[in-house]
């Protein structure tokens, strides 16, 4: 009822369910990030089924004279900003606190196009004892490290593996290494990819990248 009374938001959500062009189920299963008619991306995953964000595809390839329909079991909504997504994910509590301390939340909340390689809480916990507290007391050093985890363009997972290095907002390149199914950036394993956001994409990493140990 609220959406029917808010046509711009309703239109935004409906267009987020539409992909330009005729995309078969076979093609969908081979994709990762897909740009919608609304303009933002959704994530395709094939772990235990085919999922569009959190919605499972339950019927495929219904033909139409102007395209094709796939049925999903949940309404999908356009994603929020990188900052808002991180704040709602309990894997990133330390990262969110660090972004707040360095006054970078606004940057990752505003329109733009970014790629964030987001360390988990476990990644921060793996740093030597006292490191996080020391960084929170040294904002220039903290800012330097955080910006080393951000690129100023959108790199989907498929783009990351095609690069030998990625320039970060900190000003240094982070080296990408592909070894079979394992992909690392500056030595940090990328464990989960292509979380779409309104202003870019998030990849989850299992170690904190430090500019002074860059390869």
């Amino acid at each position: 009822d609220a959406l029917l009374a808010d046509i711009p938001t309703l239109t935004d959500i409906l267009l987020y369910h539409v992909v330009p062009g005729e995309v078969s189920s076979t093609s969908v299963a081979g994709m990762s990030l897909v740009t919608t008619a609304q303009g933002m991306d959704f994530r395709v995953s094939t772990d235990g089924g085919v999922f569009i964000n959190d919605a499972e595809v339950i019927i495929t390839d219904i033909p139409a004279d102007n395209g094709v329909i796939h049925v999903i079991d949940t309404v999908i909504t356009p994603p929020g900003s990188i900052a808002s997504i991180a704040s709602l994910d309990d894997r990133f509590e330390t990262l969110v606190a660090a972004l707040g301390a360095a006054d970078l939340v606004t940057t990752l909340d505003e329109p733009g196009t970014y790629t964030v390689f987001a360390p988990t809480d476990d990644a921060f916990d793996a740093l030597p004892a006292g490191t996080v507290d020391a960084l929170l007391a040294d904002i220039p050093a903290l800012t330097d490290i955080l910006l080393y985890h951000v690129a100023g363009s959108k790199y989907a997972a498929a783009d990351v593996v095609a690069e030998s290095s990625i320039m970060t907002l900190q000003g240094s390149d982070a080296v990408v290494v592909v070894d079979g199914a394992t992909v690392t950036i500056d030595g940090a394993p990328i464990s989960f990819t292509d979380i779409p956001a309104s202003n870019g994409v998030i990849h989850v990493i299992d170690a904190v990248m430090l500019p002074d140990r860059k390869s």
Side-chain angles (χ1 to χ4, degrees):
D1 290 340
L3 287 174
L4 290 172
D6 183 352
I7 299 305
T9 299
L10 176 63
T11 301
D12 220 32
I13 290 173
L14 292 173
L15 289 177
Y16 190 60
H17 290 74
V18 180
V19 176
E22 185 171 331
V23 184
S24 69
S25 59
T26 303
S27 298
V28 170
M31 295 176 169
S32 181
L33 277 184
V34 178
T35 302
T36 69
Q38 184 264 349
M40 295 184 194
D41 297 334
F42 60 62
R43 183 181 190 272
V44 180
S45 60
T46 55
D47 185 9
V50 177
F51 292 85
I52 308 300
N53 291 349
D54 294 327
E56 185 172 9
V57 181
I58 55 175
I59 302 173
T60 62
D61 296 320
I62 300 171
D65 63 7
N66 60 345
V68 64
I69 299 168
H70 309 296
V71 181
I72 58 177
D73 66 354
T74 306
V75 175
I76 56 175
T77 56
S81 68
I82 290 170
S84 66
I85 290 170
S87 69
L88 295 172
D89 192 321
D90 60 11
R91 292 174 294 181
F92 303 130
E93 292 180 3
T94 304
L95 175 62
V96 170
L99 290 170
D103 200 23
L104 291 175
V105 172
T106 300
T107 300
L108 296 179
D109 199 37
E110 293 178 340
T113 306
Y114 303 101
T115 301
V116 173
F117 298 93
T120 62
D121 290 344
D122 288 342
F124 279 101
D125 289 343
L127 292 171
T131 300
V132 172
D133 288 339
L135 288 172
L136 290 172
D138 184 349
I139 299 305
L142 177 64
T143 301
D144 209 42
I145 289 172
L146 291 173
L147 291 178
Y148 189 54
H149 291 76
V150 183
S153 301
K154 186 175 77 175
Y155 291 90
D159 302 317
V160 172
V161 299
E163 300 288 338
S164 59
S165 64
I166 291 176
M167 174 63 75
T168 69
L169 293 185
Q170 183 264 349
S172 302
D173 289 333
V175 175
V176 177
V177 175
V178 180
D179 183 7
T182 301
V183 181
T184 61
I185 181 161
D186 191 29
I190 301 175
S191 58
F192 193 87
T193 61
D194 290 335
I195 300 172
S198 63
N199 56 350
V201 63
I202 301 170
H203 305 300
V204 182
I205 59 175
D206 291 340
V208 177
M209 304 191 300
L210 303 173
D212 61 357
R213 66 171 179 84
K214 181 168 67 70
S215 302

